[in-house]
């Protein structure tokens, strides 16, 4: 009898130890507005979920997991899960990407006062110079030093006629490739497929996870016309299964 009780206790303890833990949280903007359709990724498990209409999300995970939050037009945010995060909800604030902020034009009426109108309609010299310098900076190529190895990171020197061994980072990741596809194909392409704007990112990830080969694209950070046509073909093959509900067999 004692042996049976000990066995049952050990079994229940094992179930408790291996029970799946979940992380709960909410995403908001800098203005504290609830943010739906944010893609939440657990880097360890590659599980992906979307926040609901209130910005809330639930994803499986454990202490030490790296969660990444992605939404088009906003800066990517990531955080490492602590033991405290497993006890209380995460509060995530996403910042709008500076390049995605549209210029706001304030229309003012002429006052009739020449000095005031010149001040309103002609930006100061410092502002003009700042815009000019920013334009020149954005048109320049990235400094090769940005792609250099980090301190302490080993990279085998590359010489002619030999193979290179070491950590070689892809120029793109899936998010970069996804953003390129959205820009290259346009929202009209997905609208014709009856894919809502809020589901475009989720649909592209579905195509990726269906076995779409993209290693070379990510490695060189370049998508050719042939690659784009391959993606379109994959879309046509998968669109029906994406929209069809899963069949549950008893």
């Amino acid at each position: 009898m004692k042996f049976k009780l000990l066995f049952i206790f050990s079994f229940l303890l094992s179930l408790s130890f291996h029970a799946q833990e979940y992380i709960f949280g909410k995403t908001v903007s800098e203005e504290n507005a609830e943010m739906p359709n944010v893609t939440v990724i657990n880097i360890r498990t590659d599980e992906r979920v979307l926040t609901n209409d209130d910005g809330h999300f639930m994803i499986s995970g454990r202490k030490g997991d790296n969660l990444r939050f992605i939404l088009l037009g906003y800066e990517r945010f990531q955080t490492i899960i602590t033991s405290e995060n497993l006890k209380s909800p995460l509060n995530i604030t996403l910042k709008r990407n500076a390049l995605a902020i549209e210029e706001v034009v304030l229309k003012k009426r002429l006052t009739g006062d020449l000095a005031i109108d010149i001040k309103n309609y002609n930006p100061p010299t410092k502002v003009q110079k700042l815009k000019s310098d920013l334009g020149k900076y954005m048109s320049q190529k990235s400094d090769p030093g940005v792609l250099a190895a980090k301190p302490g990171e080993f990279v085998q020197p590359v010489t002619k006629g030999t193979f290179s061994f070491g950590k070689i980072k892809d120029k793109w990741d899936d998010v970069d490739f996804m953003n390129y596809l959205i820009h290259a194909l346009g929202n009209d392409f997905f609208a014709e497929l009856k894919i809502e704007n809020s589901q475009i990112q989720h649909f592209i990830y579905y195509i990726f996870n269906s076995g779409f080969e993209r290693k070379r694209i990510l490695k060189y950070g370049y998508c050719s016309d042939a690659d784009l046509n391959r993606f379109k073909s994959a879309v046509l093959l998968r669109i029906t299964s994406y929209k069809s509900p899963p069949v549950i067999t008893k």
Side-chain angles (χ1 to χ4, degrees), residues 154-158 163-167:
F154 172 76
V155 177
Q156 179 73 21
V158 179
F163 290 100
S164 172
F165 297 90
K167 187 176 181 181

Side-chain angles (χ1 to χ4, degrees), residues 31 44 110 166 239:
E31 294 78 24
R44 177 180 62 85
L110 292 173
I239 186 63

